[in-house]
Protein backbone atom coordinates (compact mmCIF):
# COMPACT_ATOMS: atom_id res chain seq x y z
CA UNK A 1 0.00 0.00 0.00
CA UNK A 2 1.31 3.43 -0.98
CA UNK A 3 1.40 6.07 1.75
CA UNK A 4 0.92 9.70 0.78
CA UNK A 5 2.20 12.32 3.18
CA UNK A 6 0.01 15.16 4.45
CA UNK A 7 2.11 17.61 2.42
CA UNK A 8 1.36 15.75 -0.81
CA UNK A 9 -2.35 15.56 0.04
CA UNK A 10 -2.35 19.32 0.59
CA UNK A 11 -0.53 19.91 -2.73
CA UNK A 12 -3.01 17.68 -4.60
CA UNK A 13 -5.94 19.42 -2.95
CA UNK A 14 -4.53 22.84 -3.99
CA UNK A 15 -4.07 21.66 -7.59
CA UNK A 16 -7.60 20.29 -7.68
CA UNK A 17 -9.11 23.51 -6.28
CA UNK A 18 -7.08 25.63 -8.72
CA UNK A 19 -8.30 23.56 -11.68
CA UNK A 20 -11.87 23.81 -10.39
CA UNK A 21 -11.60 27.62 -10.03
CA UNK A 22 -10.24 27.99 -13.57
CA UNK A 23 -13.06 25.85 -14.97
CA UNK A 24 -15.79 27.73 -13.12
CA UNK A 25 -14.27 31.14 -13.94
CA UNK A 26 -14.14 30.40 -17.65
CA UNK A 27 -17.86 29.65 -17.63
CA UNK A 28 -18.97 32.79 -15.77
CA UNK A 29 -16.42 35.36 -16.98
CA UNK A 30 -16.21 35.34 -20.75
CA UNK A 31 -13.59 37.81 -22.05
CA UNK A 32 -14.93 37.96 -25.61
CA UNK A 33 -17.48 40.77 -25.06
CA UNK A 34 -16.33 42.51 -21.91
CA UNK A 35 -17.95 45.76 -20.96
CA UNK A 36 -16.57 47.93 -18.23
CA UNK A 37 -18.42 50.47 -16.16
CA UNK A 38 -16.12 53.24 -17.34
CA UNK A 39 -14.50 54.04 -20.68
CA UNK A 40 -11.26 52.21 -21.38
CA UNK A 41 -9.28 51.57 -24.55
CA UNK A 42 -9.95 48.12 -26.04
CA UNK A 43 -13.33 47.70 -24.35
CA UNK A 44 -16.88 48.44 -25.41
CA UNK A 45 -17.73 52.10 -24.99
CA UNK A 46 -20.22 52.52 -22.15
CA UNK A 47 -23.67 53.11 -23.55
CA UNK A 48 -25.59 56.29 -22.86
CA UNK A 49 -28.58 58.21 -24.14
CA UNK A 50 -28.60 62.00 -24.22
CA UNK A 51 -30.81 64.75 -25.56
CA UNK A 52 -29.52 66.50 -28.66
CA UNK A 53 -29.71 70.23 -29.27
CA UNK A 54 -32.43 69.63 -31.87
CA UNK A 55 -34.68 68.04 -29.22
CA UNK A 56 -34.22 64.38 -30.16
CA UNK A 57 -32.21 61.77 -28.29
CA UNK A 58 -29.27 59.67 -29.36
CA UNK A 59 -28.20 56.37 -27.83
CA UNK A 60 -24.56 55.48 -28.47
CA UNK A 61 -25.31 51.78 -28.98
CA UNK A 62 -27.66 52.69 -31.85
CA UNK A 63 -24.58 53.80 -33.78
CA UNK A 64 -23.00 50.33 -33.87
CA UNK A 65 -21.83 49.59 -37.39
CA UNK A 66 -20.49 53.15 -37.69
CA UNK A 67 -17.22 54.70 -36.62
CA UNK A 68 -17.84 57.26 -33.88
CA UNK A 69 -15.64 60.18 -32.96
CA UNK A 70 -16.95 61.06 -29.50
CA UNK A 71 -15.80 64.49 -28.36
CA UNK A 72 -16.45 66.07 -24.95
CA UNK A 73 -16.33 69.88 -25.01
CA UNK A 74 -17.57 73.17 -23.56
CA UNK A 75 -18.09 76.53 -25.21
CA UNK A 76 -15.77 78.32 -22.76
CA UNK A 77 -12.86 75.94 -23.53
CA UNK A 78 -10.39 77.54 -26.02
CA UNK A 79 -8.92 74.22 -27.34
CA UNK A 80 -12.47 72.87 -27.74
CA UNK A 81 -13.48 75.92 -29.75
CA UNK A 82 -10.36 75.67 -31.88
CA UNK A 83 -10.82 72.00 -32.86
CA UNK A 84 -14.53 72.18 -33.73
CA UNK A 85 -14.00 73.39 -37.34
CA UNK A 86 -11.64 70.43 -37.92
CA UNK A 87 -14.25 68.03 -36.50
CA UNK A 88 -16.83 69.55 -38.86
CA UNK A 89 -14.56 69.09 -41.90
CA UNK A 90 -13.78 65.46 -40.95
CA UNK A 91 -17.49 64.80 -40.48
CA UNK A 92 -18.26 66.22 -43.92
CA UNK A 93 -15.44 64.22 -45.52
CA UNK A 94 -16.24 60.85 -43.91
CA UNK A 95 -19.96 60.89 -43.12
CA UNK A 96 -20.71 58.98 -46.34
CA UNK A 97 -18.26 56.26 -45.19
CA UNK A 98 -20.11 55.67 -41.93
CA UNK A 99 -18.24 58.06 -39.64
CA UNK A 100 -20.30 59.93 -37.05
CA UNK A 101 -19.07 62.83 -34.96
CA UNK A 102 -20.86 63.13 -31.64
CA UNK A 103 -19.99 66.20 -29.60
CA UNK A 104 -21.10 65.92 -25.98
CA UNK A 105 -21.38 69.36 -24.45
CA UNK A 106 -20.41 69.43 -20.77
CA UNK A 107 -23.63 71.32 -20.10
CA UNK A 108 -23.25 70.77 -16.36
CA UNK A 109 -20.17 73.05 -16.62
CA UNK A 110 -21.42 75.26 -19.46
CA UNK A 111 -24.61 77.12 -20.28
CA UNK A 112 -27.09 75.84 -22.79
CA UNK A 113 -27.38 79.25 -24.46
CA UNK A 114 -23.60 79.54 -24.91
CA UNK A 115 -23.40 76.01 -26.35
CA UNK A 116 -26.28 76.66 -28.77
CA UNK A 117 -24.77 79.98 -29.88
CA UNK A 118 -21.41 78.35 -30.51
CA UNK A 119 -22.95 75.54 -32.58
CA UNK A 120 -25.01 77.99 -34.63
CA UNK A 121 -22.17 80.52 -35.12
CA UNK A 122 -19.86 77.76 -36.38
CA UNK A 123 -22.40 76.00 -38.58
CA UNK A 124 -21.84 72.61 -36.93
CA UNK A 125 -23.96 69.92 -38.58
CA UNK A 126 -22.90 66.84 -36.61
CA UNK A 127 -24.83 65.68 -33.53
CA UNK A 128 -24.36 67.81 -30.44
CA UNK A 129 -25.61 66.21 -27.23
CA UNK A 130 -26.24 67.80 -23.84
CA UNK A 131 -24.80 66.19 -20.71
CA UNK A 132 -26.81 68.37 -18.37
CA UNK A 133 -26.23 66.35 -15.20
CA UNK A 134 -22.62 65.33 -15.95
CA UNK A 135 -23.41 61.61 -15.75
CA UNK A 136 -21.82 60.69 -19.08
CA UNK A 137 -18.73 62.74 -18.25
CA UNK A 138 -18.49 60.79 -15.00
CA UNK A 139 -18.90 57.42 -16.71
CA UNK A 140 -16.23 58.35 -19.26
CA UNK A 141 -14.02 59.75 -16.48
CA UNK A 142 -13.52 63.05 -18.21
CA UNK A 143 -10.70 64.83 -16.40
CA UNK A 144 -10.11 67.62 -18.90
CA UNK A 145 -11.69 69.20 -21.93
CA UNK A 146 -11.59 68.49 -24.75
CA UNK A 147 -11.41 64.69 -24.59
CA UNK A 148 -11.96 62.61 -27.71
CA UNK A 149 -12.71 58.90 -28.04
CA UNK A 150 -12.36 57.03 -31.33
CA UNK A 151 -14.83 54.13 -31.38
CA UNK A 152 -14.81 51.39 -34.03
CA UNK A 153 -17.80 49.83 -35.82
CA UNK A 154 -18.13 47.17 -33.10
CA UNK A 155 -18.46 49.82 -30.40
CA UNK A 156 -14.97 49.38 -28.94
CA UNK A 157 -12.79 52.29 -27.93
CA UNK A 158 -9.68 52.20 -30.11
CA UNK A 159 -8.06 55.47 -29.06
CA UNK A 160 -8.61 58.28 -26.62
CA UNK A 161 -6.95 61.66 -26.50
CA UNK A 162 -7.20 64.02 -23.55
CA UNK A 163 -6.58 67.63 -24.42
CA UNK A 164 -6.40 69.51 -27.64
CA UNK A 165 -6.89 71.06 -29.97
CA UNK A 166 -6.64 68.00 -32.19
CA UNK A 167 -5.24 68.66 -35.62
CA UNK A 168 -7.33 68.01 -38.68
CA UNK A 169 -4.59 65.66 -39.94
CA UNK A 170 -4.87 63.51 -36.80
CA UNK A 171 -8.66 63.44 -36.99
CA UNK A 172 -8.56 62.52 -40.69
CA UNK A 173 -6.01 59.75 -40.10
CA UNK A 174 -8.09 58.22 -37.29
CA UNK A 175 -11.33 58.48 -39.30
CA UNK A 176 -9.70 56.89 -42.33
CA UNK A 177 -8.06 54.08 -40.33
CA UNK A 178 -11.22 53.17 -38.46
CA UNK A 179 -13.54 53.54 -41.46
CA UNK A 180 -11.41 51.05 -43.43
CA UNK A 181 -11.42 48.44 -40.64
CA UNK A 182 -14.23 45.94 -40.93
CA UNK A 183 -16.29 47.81 -43.46
CA UNK A 184 -19.87 46.54 -43.64
Amino acid sequence: MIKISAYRWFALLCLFLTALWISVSSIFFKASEQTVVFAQRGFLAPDFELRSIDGGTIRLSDLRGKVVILNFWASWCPPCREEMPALQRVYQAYQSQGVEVIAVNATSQDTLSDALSFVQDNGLTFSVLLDEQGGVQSTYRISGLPTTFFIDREGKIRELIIGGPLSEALLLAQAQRLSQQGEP
Side-chain angles (χ1 to χ4, degrees):
M1 182 169 183
I2 301 174
K3 291 186 177 182
I4 299 178
S5 69
Y7 173 76
R8 287 188 179 158
W9 275 113
F10 180 73
L12 287 171
L13 179 62
C14 287
L15 284 172
F16 172 75
L17 290 175
T18 301
L20 181 63
W21 174 253
I22 290 170
S23 297
V24 170
S25 295
S26 68
I27 293 169
F28 291 107
F29 304 107
K30 297 198 183 282
S32 61
E33 281 297 317
Q34 285 184 318
T35 303
V36 292
V37 184
F38 58 92
Q40 184 176 340
R41 186 181 292 120
F43 289 84
L44 288 176
D47 198 18
F48 62 84
E49 183 175 333
L50 288 174
R51 184 171 62 94
S52 66
I53 60 169
D54 64 7
T57 59
I58 292 180
R59 178 179 294 277
L60 183 63
S61 59
D62 290 343
L63 300 175
R64 291 260 171 85
K66 296 184 177 193
V67 170
V68 177
I69 299 173
L70 179 63
N71 178 267
F72 289 84
W73 69 287
S75 65
W76 51 260
C77 163
C80 300
R81 296 173 68 88
E82 192 174 328
E83 73 185 8
M84 283 296 172
L87 283 165
Q88 178 63 36
R89 288 189 293 273
V90 169
Y91 175 66
Q92 289 172 325
Y94 281 91
Q95 179 185 16
S96 64
Q97 295 176 36
V99 174
E100 289 290 332
V101 173
I102 304 295
V104 176
N105 178 258
T107 319
S108 61
Q109 304 172 32
D110 204 349
T111 67
L112 180 57
S113 62
D114 287 347
L116 293 173
S117 293
F118 180 80
V119 169
Q120 185 177 16
D121 292 347
N122 288 276
L124 303 179
T125 60
F126 49 77
S127 297
V128 177
L129 307 182
L130 305 170
D131 190 10
E132 297 172 288
Q133 305 304 316
V136 176
Q137 294 168 73
S138 179
T139 298
Y140 277 76
R141 293 188 175 181
I142 302 303
S143 60
L145 296 173
T147 297
T148 306
F149 292 83
F150 296 90
I151 303 170
D152 69 15
R153 294 179 191 279
E154 296 173 355
K156 292 183 181 174
I157 298 169
R158 292 299 170 199
E159 190 66 52
L160 94 97
I161 300 173
I162 300 169
L166 299 182
S167 71
E168 187 171 344
L170 173 71
L171 291 166
L172 284 169
Q174 288 288 350
Q176 182 178 27
R177 181 177 65 84
L178 291 174
S179 66
Q180 291 175 348
Q181 289 179 350
E183 292 187 36

mmCIF file with all atom_site columns, all heavy atoms in Angstrom, residues 36-55:
data_model
loop_
_atom_site.group_PDB
_atom_site.id
_atom_site.type_symbol
_atom_site.label_atom_id
_atom_site.label_alt_id
_atom_site.label_comp_id
_atom_site.label_asym_id
_atom_site.label_entity_id
_atom_site.label_seq_id
_atom_site.pdbx_PDB_ins_code
_atom_site.Cartn_x
_atom_site.Cartn_y
_atom_site.Cartn_z
_atom_site.occupancy
_atom_site.B_iso_or_equiv
_atom_site.pdbx_formal_charge
_atom_site.auth_seq_id
_atom_site.auth_comp_id
_atom_site.auth_asym_id
_atom_site.auth_atom_id
_atom_site.pdbx_PDB_model_num
ATOM 1   N N   . VAL A 1 36 ? -16.964 47.396 -19.509 1.00 0.00 ? 36 VAL A N   1
ATOM 2   C CA  . VAL A 1 36 ? -16.569 47.930 -18.229 1.00 0.00 ? 36 VAL A CA  1
ATOM 3   C C   . VAL A 1 36 ? -17.507 49.069 -17.875 1.00 0.00 ? 36 VAL A C   1
ATOM 4   O O   . VAL A 1 36 ? -18.193 49.616 -18.719 1.00 0.00 ? 36 VAL A O   1
ATOM 5   C CB  . VAL A 1 36 ? -15.101 48.414 -18.249 1.00 0.00 ? 36 VAL A CB  1
ATOM 6   C CG1 . VAL A 1 36 ? -14.150 47.249 -18.384 1.00 0.00 ? 36 VAL A CG1 1
ATOM 7   C CG2 . VAL A 1 36 ? -14.866 49.398 -19.361 1.00 0.00 ? 36 VAL A CG2 1
ATOM 8   N N   . VAL A 1 37 ? -17.521 49.436 -16.624 1.00 0.00 ? 37 VAL A N   1
ATOM 9   C CA  . VAL A 1 37 ? -18.421 50.468 -16.164 1.00 0.00 ? 37 VAL A CA  1
ATOM 10  C C   . VAL A 1 37 ? -17.936 51.849 -16.594 1.00 0.00 ? 37 VAL A C   1
ATOM 11  O O   . VAL A 1 37 ? -18.690 52.787 -16.670 1.00 0.00 ? 37 VAL A O   1
ATOM 12  C CB  . VAL A 1 37 ? -18.566 50.406 -14.626 1.00 0.00 ? 37 VAL A CB  1
ATOM 13  C CG1 . VAL A 1 37 ? -19.581 51.406 -14.125 1.00 0.00 ? 37 VAL A CG1 1
ATOM 14  C CG2 . VAL A 1 37 ? -18.960 49.015 -14.193 1.00 0.00 ? 37 VAL A CG2 1
ATOM 15  N N   . PHE A 1 38 ? -16.662 51.969 -16.887 1.00 0.00 ? 38 PHE A N   1
ATOM 16  C CA  . PHE A 1 38 ? -16.120 53.241 -17.342 1.00 0.00 ? 38 PHE A CA  1
ATOM 17  C C   . PHE A 1 38 ? -15.408 53.022 -18.675 1.00 0.00 ? 38 PHE A C   1
ATOM 18  O O   . PHE A 1 38 ? -15.160 51.900 -19.078 1.00 0.00 ? 38 PHE A O   1
ATOM 19  C CB  . PHE A 1 38 ? -15.165 53.841 -16.306 1.00 0.00 ? 38 PHE A CB  1
ATOM 20  C CG  . PHE A 1 38 ? -14.012 52.934 -15.967 1.00 0.00 ? 38 PHE A CG  1
ATOM 21  C CD1 . PHE A 1 38 ? -12.823 53.027 -16.660 1.00 0.00 ? 38 PHE A CD1 1
ATOM 22  C CD2 . PHE A 1 38 ? -14.120 51.990 -14.964 1.00 0.00 ? 38 PHE A CD2 1
ATOM 23  C CE1 . PHE A 1 38 ? -11.765 52.190 -16.365 1.00 0.00 ? 38 PHE A CE1 1
ATOM 24  C CE2 . PHE A 1 38 ? -13.068 51.145 -14.665 1.00 0.00 ? 38 PHE A CE2 1
ATOM 25  C CZ  . PHE A 1 38 ? -11.884 51.244 -15.366 1.00 0.00 ? 38 PHE A CZ  1
ATOM 26  N N   . ALA A 1 39 ? -15.105 54.103 -19.345 1.00 0.00 ? 39 ALA A N   1
ATOM 27  C CA  . ALA A 1 39 ? -14.504 54.037 -20.679 1.00 0.00 ? 39 ALA A CA  1
ATOM 28  C C   . ALA A 1 39 ? -13.029 53.664 -20.587 1.00 0.00 ? 39 ALA A C   1
ATOM 29  O O   . ALA A 1 39 ? -12.280 54.280 -19.840 1.00 0.00 ? 39 ALA A O   1
ATOM 30  C CB  . ALA A 1 39 ? -14.668 55.371 -21.386 1.00 0.00 ? 39 ALA A CB  1
ATOM 31  N N   . GLN A 1 40 ? -12.648 52.664 -21.369 1.00 0.00 ? 40 GLN A N   1
ATOM 32  C CA  . GLN A 1 40 ? -11.262 52.207 -21.376 1.00 0.00 ? 40 GLN A CA  1
ATOM 33  C C   . GLN A 1 40 ? -10.924 51.675 -22.761 1.00 0.00 ? 40 GLN A C   1
ATOM 34  O O   . GLN A 1 40 ? -11.725 50.975 -23.378 1.00 0.00 ? 40 GLN A O   1
ATOM 35  C CB  . GLN A 1 40 ? -11.096 51.114 -20.317 1.00 0.00 ? 40 GLN A CB  1
ATOM 36  C CG  . GLN A 1 40 ? -9.687  50.622 -20.159 1.00 0.00 ? 40 GLN A CG  1
ATOM 37  C CD  . GLN A 1 40 ? -9.584  49.619 -19.016 1.00 0.00 ? 40 GLN A CD  1
ATOM 38  O OE1 . GLN A 1 40 ? -10.431 49.555 -18.128 1.00 0.00 ? 40 GLN A OE1 1
ATOM 39  N NE2 . GLN A 1 40 ? -8.553  48.830 -19.045 1.00 0.00 ? 40 GLN A NE2 1
ATOM 40  N N   . ARG A 1 41 ? -9.739  52.005 -23.237 1.00 0.00 ? 41 ARG A N   1
ATOM 41  C CA  . ARG A 1 41 ? -9.279  51.566 -24.550 1.00 0.00 ? 41 ARG A CA  1
ATOM 42  C C   . ARG A 1 41 ? -9.342  50.039 -24.653 1.00 0.00 ? 41 ARG A C   1
ATOM 43  O O   . ARG A 1 41 ? -8.961  49.328 -23.743 1.00 0.00 ? 41 ARG A O   1
ATOM 44  C CB  . ARG A 1 41 ? -7.835  52.038 -24.776 1.00 0.00 ? 41 ARG A CB  1
ATOM 45  C CG  . ARG A 1 41 ? -7.316  51.756 -26.165 1.00 0.00 ? 41 ARG A CG  1
ATOM 46  C CD  . ARG A 1 41 ? -5.877  52.223 -26.342 1.00 0.00 ? 41 ARG A CD  1
ATOM 47  N NE  . ARG A 1 41 ? -5.795  53.676 -26.305 1.00 0.00 ? 41 ARG A NE  1
ATOM 48  C CZ  . ARG A 1 41 ? -5.084  54.358 -25.429 1.00 0.00 ? 41 ARG A CZ  1
ATOM 49  N NH1 . ARG A 1 41 ? -4.388  53.747 -24.497 1.00 0.00 ? 41 ARG A NH1 1
ATOM 50  N NH2 . ARG A 1 41 ? -5.058  55.674 -25.470 1.00 0.00 ? 41 ARG A NH2 1
ATOM 51  N N   . GLY A 1 42 ? -9.866  49.556 -25.794 1.00 0.00 ? 42 GLY A N   1
ATOM 52  C CA  . GLY A 1 42 ? -9.950  48.122 -26.036 1.00 0.00 ? 42 GLY A CA  1
ATOM 53  C C   . GLY A 1 42 ? -11.240 47.481 -25.566 1.00 0.00 ? 42 GLY A C   1
ATOM 54  O O   . GLY A 1 42 ? -11.473 46.307 -25.828 1.00 0.00 ? 42 GLY A O   1
ATOM 55  N N   . PHE A 1 43 ? -12.073 48.228 -24.868 1.00 0.00 ? 43 PHE A N   1
ATOM 56  C CA  . PHE A 1 43 ? -13.334 47.700 -24.347 1.00 0.00 ? 43 PHE A CA  1
ATOM 57  C C   . PHE A 1 43 ? -14.507 48.405 -25.021 1.00 0.00 ? 43 PHE A C   1
ATOM 58  O O   . PHE A 1 43 ? -14.353 49.458 -25.625 1.00 0.00 ? 43 PHE A O   1
ATOM 59  C CB  . PHE A 1 43 ? -13.425 47.906 -22.833 1.00 0.00 ? 43 PHE A CB  1
ATOM 60  C CG  . PHE A 1 43 ? -12.495 47.022 -22.055 1.00 0.00 ? 43 PHE A CG  1
ATOM 61  C CD1 . PHE A 1 43 ? -11.175 47.389 -21.857 1.00 0.00 ? 43 PHE A CD1 1
ATOM 62  C CD2 . PHE A 1 43 ? -12.940 45.823 -21.537 1.00 0.00 ? 43 PHE A CD2 1
ATOM 63  C CE1 . PHE A 1 43 ? -10.316 46.580 -21.147 1.00 0.00 ? 43 PHE A CE1 1
ATOM 64  C CE2 . PHE A 1 43 ? -12.089 45.002 -20.823 1.00 0.00 ? 43 PHE A CE2 1
ATOM 65  C CZ  . PHE A 1 43 ? -10.765 45.379 -20.624 1.00 0.00 ? 43 PHE A CZ  1
ATOM 66  N N   . LEU A 1 44 ? -15.682 47.805 -24.888 1.00 0.00 ? 44 LEU A N   1
ATOM 67  C CA  . LEU A 1 44 ? -16.885 48.441 -25.412 1.00 0.00 ? 44 LEU A CA  1
ATOM 68  C C   . LEU A 1 44 ? -17.076 49.795 -24.742 1.00 0.00 ? 44 LEU A C   1
ATOM 69  O O   . LEU A 1 44 ? -16.894 49.929 -23.525 1.00 0.00 ? 44 LEU A O   1
ATOM 70  C CB  . LEU A 1 44 ? -18.117 47.581 -25.154 1.00 0.00 ? 44 LEU A CB  1
ATOM 71  C CG  . LEU A 1 44 ? -18.259 46.309 -25.979 1.00 0.00 ? 44 LEU A CG  1
ATOM 72  C CD1 . LEU A 1 44 ? -19.481 45.522 -25.522 1.00 0.00 ? 44 LEU A CD1 1
ATOM 73  C CD2 . LEU A 1 44 ? -18.345 46.618 -27.450 1.00 0.00 ? 44 LEU A CD2 1
ATOM 74  N N   . ALA A 1 45 ? -17.441 50.774 -25.539 1.00 0.00 ? 45 ALA A N   1
ATOM 75  C CA  . ALA A 1 45 ? -17.731 52.099 -24.995 1.00 0.00 ? 45 ALA A CA  1
ATOM 76  C C   . ALA A 1 45 ? -19.005 52.006 -24.168 1.00 0.00 ? 45 ALA A C   1
ATOM 77  O O   . ALA A 1 45 ? -19.997 51.433 -24.620 1.00 0.00 ? 45 ALA A O   1
ATOM 78  C CB  . ALA A 1 45 ? -17.901 53.104 -26.132 1.00 0.00 ? 45 ALA A CB  1
ATOM 79  N N   . PRO A 1 46 ? -18.994 52.547 -22.960 1.00 0.00 ? 46 PRO A N   1
ATOM 80  C CA  . PRO A 1 46 ? -20.218 52.520 -22.149 1.00 0.00 ? 46 PRO A CA  1
ATOM 81  C C   . PRO A 1 46 ? -21.368 53.214 -22.882 1.00 0.00 ? 46 PRO A C   1
ATOM 82  O O   . PRO A 1 46 ? -21.196 54.278 -23.468 1.00 0.00 ? 46 PRO A O   1
ATOM 83  C CB  . PRO A 1 46 ? -19.824 53.304 -20.893 1.00 0.00 ? 46 PRO A CB  1
ATOM 84  C CG  . PRO A 1 46 ? -18.336 53.182 -20.820 1.00 0.00 ? 46 PRO A CG  1
ATOM 85  C CD  . PRO A 1 46 ? -17.878 53.170 -22.245 1.00 0.00 ? 46 PRO A CD  1
ATOM 86  N N   . ASP A 1 47 ? -22.501 52.578 -22.844 1.00 0.00 ? 47 ASP A N   1
ATOM 87  C CA  . ASP A 1 47 ? -23.666 53.114 -23.548 1.00 0.00 ? 47 ASP A CA  1
ATOM 88  C C   . ASP A 1 47 ? -24.258 54.277 -22.760 1.00 0.00 ? 47 ASP A C   1
ATOM 89  O O   . ASP A 1 47 ? -24.143 54.352 -21.532 1.00 0.00 ? 47 ASP A O   1
ATOM 90  C CB  . ASP A 1 47 ? -24.711 52.018 -23.728 1.00 0.00 ? 47 ASP A CB  1
ATOM 91  C CG  . ASP A 1 47 ? -25.737 52.355 -24.799 1.00 0.00 ? 47 ASP A CG  1
ATOM 92  O OD1 . ASP A 1 47 ? -25.479 53.246 -25.627 1.00 0.00 ? 47 ASP A OD1 1
ATOM 93  O OD2 . ASP A 1 47 ? -26.802 51.712 -24.808 1.00 0.00 ? 47 ASP A OD2 1
ATOM 94  N N   . PHE A 1 48 ? -24.885 55.175 -23.474 1.00 0.00 ? 48 PHE A N   1
ATOM 95  C CA  . PHE A 1 48 ? -25.595 56.288 -22.860 1.00 0.00 ? 48 PHE A CA  1
ATOM 96  C C   . PHE A 1 48 ? -26.639 56.779 -23.844 1.00 0.00 ? 48 PHE A C   1
ATOM 97  O O   . PHE A 1 48 ? -26.595 56.476 -25.024 1.00 0.00 ? 48 PHE A O   1
ATOM 98  C CB  . PHE A 1 48 ? -24.646 57.434 -22.471 1.00 0.00 ? 48 PHE A CB  1
ATOM 99  C CG  . PHE A 1 48 ? -23.928 58.064 -23.623 1.00 0.00 ? 48 PHE A CG  1
ATOM 100 C CD1 . PHE A 1 48 ? -24.523 59.061 -24.390 1.00 0.00 ? 48 PHE A CD1 1
ATOM 101 C CD2 . PHE A 1 48 ? -22.644 57.665 -23.956 1.00 0.00 ? 48 PHE A CD2 1
ATOM 102 C CE1 . PHE A 1 48 ? -23.849 59.645 -25.461 1.00 0.00 ? 48 PHE A CE1 1
ATOM 103 C CE2 . PHE A 1 48 ? -21.961 58.242 -25.024 1.00 0.00 ? 48 PHE A CE2 1
ATOM 104 C CZ  . PHE A 1 48 ? -22.568 59.237 -25.779 1.00 0.00 ? 48 PHE A CZ  1
ATOM 105 N N   . GLU A 1 49 ? -27.570 57.543 -23.320 1.00 0.00 ? 49 GLU A N   1
ATOM 106 C CA  . GLU A 1 49 ? -28.577 58.211 -24.143 1.00 0.00 ? 49 GLU A CA  1
ATOM 107 C C   . GLU A 1 49 ? -28.687 59.645 -23.637 1.00 0.00 ? 49 GLU A C   1
ATOM 108 O O   . GLU A 1 49 ? -28.858 59.871 -22.443 1.00 0.00 ? 49 GLU A O   1
ATOM 109 C CB  . GLU A 1 49 ? -29.927 57.507 -24.030 1.00 0.00 ? 49 GLU A CB  1
ATOM 110 C CG  . GLU A 1 49 ? -30.990 58.124 -24.914 1.00 0.00 ? 49 GLU A CG  1
ATOM 111 C CD  . GLU A 1 49 ? -32.299 57.344 -24.891 1.00 0.00 ? 49 GLU A CD  1
ATOM 112 O OE1 . GLU A 1 49 ? -32.273 56.126 -24.642 1.00 0.00 ? 49 GLU A OE1 1
ATOM 113 O OE2 . GLU A 1 49 ? -33.344 57.975 -25.131 1.00 0.00 ? 49 GLU A OE2 1
ATOM 114 N N   . LEU A 1 50 ? -28.523 60.585 -24.568 1.00 0.00 ? 50 LEU A N   1
ATOM 115 C CA  . LEU A 1 50 ? -28.604 62.005 -24.219 1.00 0.00 ? 50 LEU A CA  1
ATOM 116 C C   . LEU A 1 50 ? -29.491 62.741 -25.198 1.00 0.00 ? 50 LEU A C   1
ATOM 117 O O   . LEU A 1 50 ? -29.644 62.326 -26.348 1.00 0.00 ? 50 LEU A O   1
ATOM 118 C CB  . LEU A 1 50 ? -27.210 62.653 -24.233 1.00 0.00 ? 50 LEU A CB  1
ATOM 119 C CG  . LEU A 1 50 ? -26.245 62.295 -23.106 1.00 0.00 ? 50 LEU A CG  1
ATOM 120 C CD1 . LEU A 1 50 ? -24.884 62.913 -23.364 1.00 0.00 ? 50 LEU A CD1 1
ATOM 121 C CD2 . LEU A 1 50 ? -26.792 62.733 -21.750 1.00 0.00 ? 50 LEU A CD2 1
ATOM 122 N N   . ARG A 1 51 ? -30.007 63.858 -24.730 1.00 0.00 ? 51 ARG A N   1
ATOM 123 C CA  . ARG A 1 51 ? -30.814 64.745 -25.565 1.00 0.00 ? 51 ARG A CA  1
ATOM 124 C C   . ARG A 1 51 ? -29.887 65.541 -26.471 1.00 0.00 ? 51 ARG A C   1
ATOM 125 O O   . ARG A 1 51 ? -28.822 65.998 -26.055 1.00 0.00 ? 51 ARG A O   1
ATOM 126 C CB  . ARG A 1 51 ? -31.619 65.675 -24.668 1.00 0.00 ? 51 ARG A CB  1
ATOM 127 C CG  . ARG A 1 51 ? -32.585 66.582 -25.401 1.00 0.00 ? 51 ARG A CG  1
ATOM 128 C CD  . ARG A 1 51 ? -33.496 67.314 -24.418 1.00 0.00 ? 51 ARG A CD  1
ATOM 129 N NE  . ARG A 1 51 ? -32.791 68.186 -23.508 1.00 0.00 ? 51 ARG A NE  1
ATOM 130 C CZ  . ARG A 1 51 ? -32.597 69.494 -23.726 1.00 0.00 ? 51 ARG A CZ  1
ATOM 131 N NH1 . ARG A 1 51 ? -33.055 70.051 -24.819 1.00 0.00 ? 51 ARG A NH1 1
ATOM 132 N NH2 . ARG A 1 51 ? -31.972 70.222 -22.837 1.00 0.00 ? 51 ARG A NH2 1
ATOM 133 N N   . SER A 1 52 ? -30.299 65.701 -27.713 1.00 0.00 ? 52 SER A N   1
ATOM 134 C CA  . SER A 1 52 ? -29.516 66.496 -28.659 1.00 0.00 ? 52 SER A CA  1
ATOM 135 C C   . SER A 1 52 ? -30.053 67.923 -28.682 1.00 0.00 ? 52 SER A C   1
ATOM 136 O O   . SER A 1 52 ? -31.154 68.186 -28.194 1.00 0.00 ? 52 SER A O   1
ATOM 137 C CB  . SER A 1 52 ? -29.570 65.884 -30.059 1.00 0.00 ? 52 SER A CB  1
ATOM 138 O OG  . SER A 1 52 ? -30.874 65.966 -30.574 1.00 0.00 ? 52 SER A OG  1
ATOM 139 N N   . ILE A 1 53 ? -29.287 68.826 -29.259 1.00 0.00 ? 53 ILE A N   1
ATOM 140 C CA  . ILE A 1 53 ? -29.713 70.231 -29.274 1.00 0.00 ? 53 ILE A CA  1
ATOM 141 C C   . ILE A 1 53 ? -30.941 70.442 -30.142 1.00 0.00 ? 53 ILE A C   1
ATOM 142 O O   . ILE A 1 53 ? -31.633 71.438 -29.990 1.00 0.00 ? 53 ILE A O   1
ATOM 143 C CB  . ILE A 1 53 ? -28.576 71.181 -29.709 1.00 0.00 ? 53 ILE A CB  1
ATOM 144 C CG1 . ILE A 1 53 ? -28.090 70.843 -31.113 1.00 0.00 ? 53 ILE A CG1 1
ATOM 145 C CG2 . ILE A 1 53 ? -27.456 71.179 -28.708 1.00 0.00 ? 53 ILE A CG2 1
ATOM 146 C CD1 . ILE A 1 53 ? -27.163 71.881 -31.701 1.00 0.00 ? 53 ILE A CD1 1
ATOM 147 N N   . ASP A 1 54 ? -31.226 69.486 -31.038 1.00 0.00 ? 54 ASP A N   1
ATOM 148 C CA  . ASP A 1 54 ? -32.426 69.634 -31.875 1.00 0.00 ? 54 ASP A CA  1
ATOM 149 C C   . ASP A 1 54 ? -33.669 69.023 -31.223 1.00 0.00 ? 54 ASP A C   1
ATOM 150 O O   . ASP A 1 54 ? -34.726 68.957 -31.829 1.00 0.00 ? 54 ASP A O   1
ATOM 151 C CB  . ASP A 1 54 ? -32.190 69.062 -33.272 1.00 0.00 ? 54 ASP A CB  1
ATOM 152 C CG  . ASP A 1 54 ? -31.931 67.567 -33.266 1.00 0.00 ? 54 ASP A CG  1
ATOM 153 O OD1 . ASP A 1 54 ? -32.061 66.914 -32.202 1.00 0.00 ? 54 ASP A OD1 1
ATOM 154 O OD2 . ASP A 1 54 ? -31.573 67.027 -34.331 1.00 0.00 ? 54 ASP A OD2 1
ATOM 155 N N   . GLY A 1 55 ? -33.528 68.555 -29.965 1.00 0.00 ? 55 GLY A N   1
ATOM 156 C CA  . GLY A 1 55 ? -34.677 68.040 -29.224 1.00 0.00 ? 55 GLY A CA  1
ATOM 157 C C   . GLY A 1 55 ? -34.843 66.541 -29.240 1.00 0.00 ? 55 GLY A C   1
ATOM 158 O O   . GLY A 1 55 ? -35.607 66.000 -28.454 1.00 0.00 ? 55 GLY A O   1
#
